[in-house]
Amino acid sequence: MPEDSSSEQLSRWLREVQLEPGGARQAAIEEASTLLAKSLAGGDVLDMVLLAHGHERGTAFGQLSNAIRGSDETFGGRPDDLDSKIAACATVAAVLAGNSKSASIASQGVRSAQWLGLAPAVSDLPDLGHSSAARRSEALRGRRTKWPAIGDDEFKGVPKFDAEGQEGQPATQQDLRKLRDASAGATRALRMGQQSLLRALSARLAAADEELDLLWWAFTGYSELAHKPWAEVMPEAAPVLCGIEFAQKLRFELEIPSTEALLARMLGGGSDDTIELATSVESAGRLVASTALPDGHPLLPVLSSISEFRALDGDESWKGSVGRWEIVPTHNTTRLALALQCARECVLSENL
């Protein structure tokens, strides 16, 4: 089944929540989402993802509201209104459809929100986030690259000559001009083709090195942060340490498709065991003293918690302090899901 166009998708979303599709409001939302998708970057993308899940932060709603009013002056929605959240979803979807770092940030943000259990205004958003991440990851690593064809099409209009000229006639100045122009065109095509080929080969080489680093890391079975074999690392600390170490091996702005499988292998048979966020943070927090951590953000719950734990020197008050980012330390998840989220956050914080 072909994917919906952005207009059809938005109409369907409006119908599903019993809002009226079509008309000036839908057109204004479409125009606003397309416009914003071209300019949103960094933390603003994450804030728009939060707005799509009903949480206001930063200037996301102000940007969205102003953009909609540019086409529909009657728009007077609030951040928690359904049409505002749907407009935010449409904007995030437009970002996800692109081929930029913003698309990577949006996909990571959407999947982080899903890990937290946040519900978007439209049910399609998590699927869009996952499909965008898979597409971008493969494109960045050049796995589906079509090698550039460098042919001689430029010479199609040039007459064929033998030793005595064309059909026994000497070449004319027009023939020579055609040959000159074709040669110049072929040179340009060759240069551009070589540059394209070099970029593709560079991406594939970096991806191959990345794969080799990850495989050796997995093969050794040794935690570089804990300075001991994974079998000897406390199970409460392992998910966070595993996620951070995995992310440090990545060379691109998105995780590889096999991230979950590799992390499951490293965590072993207890990867599906349930663990509390605070328990893992307190167990691993002192082992990541040299790891750079981002400023707090609701969609970076693991790294924000570690940062606060470290800033307060492990004092219990960190659990209440992270509440300003709406982070719940008692959040329960599996050890594998926690490792995957931690790895994602590490890459996302680099993107920001």
Side-chain angles (χ1 to χ4, degrees):
M1 179 182 292
E3 292 185 1
D4 292 346
S5 68
S6 59
S7 181
E8 292 171 342
Q9 179 176 259
L10 182 55
S11 292
R12 179 166 53 80
W13 288 350
L14 291 171
R15 282 195 300 271
E16 286 177 356
V17 295
Q18 298 180 342
L19 293 178
E20 187 65 30
R25 177 58 52 83
Q26 178 177 334
I29 291 175
E30 287 180 24
E31 186 173 339
S33 62
T34 301
L35 180 66
L36 286 173
K38 296 176 181 178
S39 61
L40 285 178
D44 288 341
V45 176
L46 284 190
D47 291 345
M48 191 62 69
V49 170
L50 277 174
L51 186 60
H53 291 78
H55 294 259
E56 184 185 10
R57 180 183 169 86
T59 62
F61 177 71
Q63 290 178 293
L64 182 64
S65 180
N66 290 336
I68 295 175
R69 285 199 186 102
S71 301
D72 183 359
E73 295 182 355
T74 66
F75 179 77
R78 296 168 52 85
D80 56 352
D81 287 345
L82 191 52
D83 52 351
S84 297
K85 290 185 284 187
I86 289 179
C89 284
T91 302
V92 173
V95 175
L96 289 170
N99 288 301
S100 67
K101 181 171 283 190
S102 292
S104 299
I105 293 172
S107 69
Q108 291 164 323
V110 168
R111 288 177 292 148
S112 182
Q114 186 180 28
W115 183 81
L116 287 166
L118 302 181
V122 297
S123 59
D124 290 5
L125 203 59
D127 289 340
L128 293 175
H130 283 278
S131 60
S132 176
R135 173 179 57 83
R136 286 281 298 152
S137 176
E138 293 294 272
L140 287 166
R141 292 171 171 83
R143 299 188 200 281
R144 299 292 181 267
T145 299
K146 292 183 179 179
W147 303 111
I150 307 174
D152 58 353
D153 292 345
E154 288 77 8
F155 291 94
K156 285 184 177 178
V158 179
K160 303 296 183 183
F161 298 97
D162 54 28
E164 298 181 355
Q166 182 185 12
E167 298 180 352
Q169 300 297 321
T172 65
Q173 287 188 346
Q174 183 179 6
D175 292 332
L176 294 176
R177 280 196 298 270
K178 287 182 179 180
L179 181 60
R180 180 199 63 192
D181 293 343
S183 298
T187 300
R188 286 193 300 270
L190 180 62
R191 183 174 64 250
M192 293 176 63
Q194 288 176 330
Q195 291 172 346
S196 178
L197 184 61
L198 180 60
R199 286 193 297 269
L201 287 173
S202 296
R204 288 301 299 125
L205 181 59
D209 287 343
E210 176 187 65
E211 291 171 357
L212 187 61
D213 289 344
L214 285 168
L215 289 173
W216 271 114
W217 173 74
F219 177 76
T220 60
Y222 188 84
S223 170
E224 298 164 357
L225 290 171
H227 304 292
K228 62 178 68 174
W230 284 108
E232 298 176 13
V233 176
M234 292 178 60
E236 294 81 7
V240 168
L241 299 182
C242 199
I244 292 175
E245 290 187 26
F246 181 92
Q248 289 173 344
K249 307 296 180 187
L250 297 177
R251 302 192 178 202
F252 297 86
E253 66 193 49
L254 274 169
E255 313 86 90
I256 60 175
S258 58
T259 297
E260 185 173 358
L262 282 170
L263 290 174
R265 177 183 177 85
M266 300 307 297
L267 292 174
S271 60
D272 290 331
D273 293 347
T274 301
I275 192 171
E276 188 179 82
L277 173 61
T279 301
S280 192
V281 166
E282 291 179 337
S283 181
R286 300 190 188 281
L287 298 175
V288 294
S290 61
T291 303
L293 297 173
D295 294 332
H297 193 282
L299 294 179
L300 296 169
V302 181
L303 296 187
S304 297
S305 295
I306 296 174
S307 178
E308 199 69 3
F309 173 85
R310 201 162 74 183
L312 296 175
D313 198 25
D315 189 89
E316 282 287 315
S317 60
W318 78 267
K319 296 178 183 178
S321 183
V322 295
R324 67 185 188 275
W325 300 310
E326 301 180 65
I327 295 172
V328 181
T330 56
H331 179 77
N332 280 307
T333 184
T334 66
R335 294 174 70 241
L336 175 56
L338 179 58
L340 190 60
Q341 175 64 19
C342 188
R344 181 182 304 125
E345 289 184 28
C346 289
V347 182
L348 174 54
S349 64
E350 288 293 324
N351 290 338
L352 295 176

